[in-house]
């Protein structure tokens, strides 16, 4: 069985490290820094087997060059349309890869960036900066409609699928979520749980798809009344009231929250 450990980087990044008990090989996802990865590998007597990249931002890729220098034969998987030049094995939606004998499907999730992909199976979802616990990535390159379409791919995963995003943003996201849905009992209970974890400096992740469908306003953009607590200036009002339009209103509110 694959084991997933968090390697802390920068102030709030997590580099996810995948290992199994069968061998001493490790794979890492979105290594924005090399030093924490190399330290983790040495500490646990592991060798680096490969790297997975979700998108091109520096805090997800800047450690790649040094890691490849240390392990020159490893593959670096990433989106085929990425401006990041360190990818050796480009991936497109629908591709399947094997990591430590675990299959992962590639889904394209444009929105945060246009090159963003996620690595998923029924048990694990590595969502980069697309889906956070309680929130979503800022739309630097894509549109709200694109991001909602990306979210629908994640919403279709099994409810117990674990969500591993790349940042410890959960507390701030839940503060926003409570402004959107102040009377959501699942959200209030989850917020208390996260507050206790963070008070003890414990990681708030992984979440699950089922949890996010209960507490994450962006995942709940299909609900007609999800924007009723928003200030009117943030609401995109149309006759259609499409879910992506609710998503756009929520994202606009979050950008100014």
């Amino acid at each position: 069985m694959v084991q997933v450990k968090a390697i802390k980087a920068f102030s709030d990044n997590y580099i996810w490290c995948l290992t199994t008990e069968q061998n001493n090989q490790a794979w890492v996802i979105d290594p924005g820094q090399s030093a924490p990865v190399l330290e983790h590998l040495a500490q646990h007597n592991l060798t680096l087997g490969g790297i997975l990249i979700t998108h091109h931002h520096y805090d997800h890729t800047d450690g790649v060059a040094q890691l490849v220098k240390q392990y020159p034969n490893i593959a670096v998987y990433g989106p085929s349309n990425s401006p990041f030049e360190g990818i050796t094995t480009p991936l497109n939606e629908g591709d399947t890869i094997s990591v430590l004998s675990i299959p992962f499907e590639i889904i394209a999730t444009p929105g945060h960036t246009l090159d963003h992909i996620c690595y998923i199976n029924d048990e694990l979802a590595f969502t980069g900066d697309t889906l956070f616990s309680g929130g979503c990535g800022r739309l630097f390159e894509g549109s709200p409609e694109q991001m909602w379409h990306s979210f629908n791919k994640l919403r279709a995963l099994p409810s117990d699928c674990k969500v591993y995003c790349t940042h410890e943003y959960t507390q701030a996201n839940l503060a926003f979520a409570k402004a959107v849905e102040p009377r959501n009992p699942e959200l209030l209970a989850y917020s208390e749980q996260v507050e206790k974890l963070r008070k003890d400096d414990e990681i708030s992740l992984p979440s699950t798809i089922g949890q996010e469908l209960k507490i994450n306003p962006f995942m709940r953009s299909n609900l007609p009344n999800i924007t009723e607590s928003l200030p009117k200036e943030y609401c995109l009002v149309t006759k259609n009231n499409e879910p992506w339009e609710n998503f756009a209103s929520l994202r606009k509110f979050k950008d100014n929250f």
Side-chain angles (χ1 to χ4, degrees), residues 221-233:
S221 295
N222 60 307
L223 301 179
N225 298 324
I226 192 66
T227 62
E228 65 181 6
S229 296
L230 270 60
K232 291 290 186 281
E233 63 265 29

Side-chain angles (χ1 to χ4, degrees), residues 5-8 17-19 26 28 34-46:
K5 298 280 182 69
I7 301 173
K8 293 184 178 181
C17 179
L18 281 63
T19 59
V28 294
S34 61
V37 174
L38 294 171
E39 182 180 341
H40 182 86
L41 296 174
Q43 182 179 353
H44 296 278
N45 194 30
L46 297 167

Side-chain angles (χ1 to χ4, degrees), residues 58-118:
Y58 81 93
D59 59 322
H60 297 249
T61 59
D62 267 11
V64 171
Q66 185 61 37
L67 292 175
V68 171
K69 185 177 180 180
Q70 293 287 109
Y71 298 90
N73 296 319
I74 62 172
V76 181
Y77 291 84
S80 64
N81 62 333
S82 182
F84 175 60
E85 297 180 352
I87 293 166
T88 65
T89 308
L91 299 170
N92 295 290
E93 175 156 293
D95 288 344
T96 301
I97 64 171
S98 180
V99 176
L100 300 170
S101 300
I102 306 295
F104 285 94
E105 181 185 351
I106 308 307
I107 57 172
T109 54
H112 177 66
T113 63
L114 294 179
D115 69 327
H116 205 297
I117 61 174
C118 295

Side-chain angles (χ1 to χ4, degrees), residues 4-204:
V4 184
K5 298 280 182 69
I7 301 173
K8 293 184 178 181
F10 301 108
S11 61
D12 54 28
N13 279 56
Y14 294 127
I15 301 167
W16 297 109
C17 179
L18 281 63
T19 59
T20 66
E21 294 181 354
Q22 283 69 43
N23 59 49
N24 68 336
Q25 191 180 91
W27 285 62
V28 294
I29 300 171
D30 286 348
Q33 291 180 304
S34 61
V37 174
L38 294 171
E39 182 180 341
H40 182 86
L41 296 174
Q43 182 179 353
H44 296 278
N45 194 30
L46 297 167
T47 60
L48 189 60
I51 297 172
L52 306 180
I53 298 298
T54 62
H55 65 292
H56 67 271
H57 283 165
Y58 81 93
D59 59 322
H60 297 249
T61 59
D62 267 11
V64 171
Q66 185 61 37
L67 292 175
V68 171
K69 185 177 180 180
Q70 293 287 109
Y71 298 90
N73 296 319
I74 62 172
V76 181
Y77 291 84
S80 64
N81 62 333
S82 182
F84 175 60
E85 297 180 352
I87 293 166
T88 65
T89 308
L91 299 170
N92 295 290
E93 175 156 293
D95 288 344
T96 301
I97 64 171
S98 180
V99 176
L100 300 170
S101 300
I102 306 295
F104 285 94
E105 181 185 351
I106 308 307
I107 57 172
T109 54
H112 177 66
T113 63
L114 294 179
D115 69 327
H116 205 297
I117 61 174
C118 295
Y119 300 82
I120 65 165
N121 58 37
D122 284 349
E123 288 80 37
L124 306 169
F126 293 97
T127 61
D129 285 0
T130 294
L131 171 62
F132 297 130
S133 185
C136 74
R138 189 181 289 266
L139 304 185
F140 287 114
E141 297 176 4
S143 69
E145 191 169 6
Q146 281 180 307
M147 190 67 140
W148 174 244
H149 183 63
S150 298
F151 258 50
N152 272 332
K153 298 175 186 179
L154 296 169
R155 282 163 46 85
L157 291 171
S159 62
D160 59 351
C161 179
K162 294 180 179 178
V163 175
Y164 293 90
C165 59
T166 315
H167 291 279
E168 185 57 75
Y169 288 167
T170 311
Q171 277 179 305
N173 287 336
L174 294 183
F176 166 76
K178 287 188 288 186
V180 176
E181 290 192 285
R183 293 175 296 279
N184 180 333
E186 287 91 354
L187 171 59
L188 297 176
Y190 184 57
S191 181
E192 284 188 17
Q193 175 187 333
V194 169
E195 289 294 330
K196 290 177 183 177
L197 288 171
R198 297 305 297 151
K199 185 177 180 181
D200 295 331
D201 198 32
E202 293 184 26
I203 187 171
S204 68

